[in-house]
Amino acid sequence: MIEPKLEVPAELRDLAEKTIDQAEKAFGMFFDAANKSIASVPSPGTEMSKQALSLTEQNIKAAFEHARKLVHATDLQEAMRIQSEFLKSQFTNAGEHMRQITGGVMSAAKDATKGKY
């Protein structure tokens, strides 16, 4: 069976791309401000905050890239493949992020207890 093409007008694809670009720019400005804010107030949790913000930024960038790919999908099968690849990569990334966060928490706990016993 032949998959029907997704008949999306070029103008709509262009509008979607511009919207994605604008949203990505806004998030970039947010992450810049958040990084400056974290750096300006040193605290015991600063490194963990930086790490959490970095992981969030990676996820947002992946979502924007995913959206760009979907905008250019020409049929339902391609859209489903793109979605499937994105979900697989997100699950893989989530596991890695959990390992990094757990390692950071363990390291912080270890540092906090140094010299107390």
Side-chain angles (χ1 to χ4, degrees):
M1 183 164 87
I2 297 175
E3 282 287 325
K5 292 284 184 188
L6 292 176
E7 297 297 328
V8 179
E11 296 83 13
L12 186 56
R13 288 183 196 267
D14 290 344
L15 178 61
E17 279 194 54
K18 287 177 185 173
T19 302
I20 293 166
D21 290 343
Q22 289 174 342
E24 187 173 33
K25 183 178 179 182
F27 271 100
M29 291 167 57
F30 166 79
F31 283 113
D32 287 345
N35 277 315
K36 287 176 185 173
S37 176
I38 290 171
S40 71
V41 185
S43 72
T46 298
E47 283 308 310
M48 287 299 297
S49 295
K50 286 180 182 179
Q51 183 180 26
L53 190 61
S54 174
L55 296 175
T56 302
E57 188 173 13
Q58 289 173 25
N59 286 335
I60 295 291
K61 285 181 179 183
F64 283 125
E65 184 60 33
H66 171 64
R68 282 190 182 88
K69 288 178 182 177
L70 278 178
V71 165
H72 295 286
T74 56
D75 58 40
L76 187 57
Q77 185 176 5
E78 182 180 7
M80 294 303 290
R81 179 188 54 77
I82 291 167
Q83 183 67 20
S84 176
E85 289 172 359
F86 176 70
L87 290 174
K88 285 178 188 175
S89 72
Q90 288 301 97
F91 279 121
T92 300
N93 290 343
E96 180 57 32
H97 292 171
M98 287 306 295
R99 281 188 287 282
Q100 289 177 10
I101 289 170
T102 302
V105 169
M106 296 301 287
S107 177
K110 187 177 178 181
D111 291 346
T113 60
K114 274 186 182 174
K116 293 199 176 191
Y117 297 104

